Amino acid sequence: MDKQTEIEIQAAAFRRLQKHLMEDRTDVQNIDLMNMAGFCRNCLARWYQEAANERGIEMDKNEAREIYYGMTMAEWKASYQTEASPEKQAEFEVAFKENVTDKQ
């Protein structure tokens, strides 16, 4: 497989993951993704931002999230986010530290 085809296939797989999380499984909460898998939609948006920044494209966190989510965070939260239990919030603190804070 040539490099361009590989890149196109990787991009298609990313778009399918994005569609799955943004359209097919809006019921799955970010906190659950982070607690179970160590990443969430916000991580994917951050990775998108980092890739843009590495290529000299200025993009902040909110811009990247709006591109990834297809809407503002306020719109997403109002439409899909539910209240997290104290237990899930405590798990999240650990998962975020292990998978985000300590990795930077």
Side-chain angles (χ1 to χ4, degrees):
M1 179 183 319
D2 64 80
K3 193 66 176 167
Q4 184 59 37
T5 301
E6 181 181 3
I7 291 167
E8 290 170 8
I9 291 169
Q10 290 169 341
F14 173 83
R15 287 190 300 272
R16 184 61 188 96
L17 173 61
Q18 182 182 27
K19 179 185 180 302
H20 183 74
L21 293 173
M22 303 310 299
E23 296 176 21
D24 303 338
R25 293 305 309 263
T26 57
D27 60 313
V28 177
Q29 298 296 299
N30 276 340
I31 196 166
D32 295 323
L33 287 169
M34 180 59 83
N35 290 350
M36 294 182 75
F39 79 99
C40 68
R41 292 171 185 90
N42 292 335
C43 295
L44 290 163
R46 187 182 78 247
W47 298 336
Y48 187 95
Q49 174 195 3
E50 289 169 357
N53 293 163
E54 287 170 5
R55 287 158 180 79
I57 300 167
E58 296 220 9
M59 180 181 298
D60 67 24
K61 176 174 70 174
N62 291 327
E63 290 171 314
R65 285 182 177 180
E66 193 163 339
I67 290 167
Y68 185 81
Y69 281 79
M71 63 185 76
T72 66
M73 281 302 299
E75 292 170 312
W76 174 266
K77 287 179 179 182
S79 297
Y80 303 110
Q81 189 166 310
T82 61
E83 190 66 33
S85 70
E87 294 81 18
K88 284 186 182 183
Q89 291 178 21
E91 289 176 34
F92 174 81
E93 293 301 322
V94 173
F96 189 83
K97 183 178 183 312
E98 290 176 352
N99 294 288
V100 179
T101 306
D102 287 353
K103 299 245 179 181
Q104 294 179 356

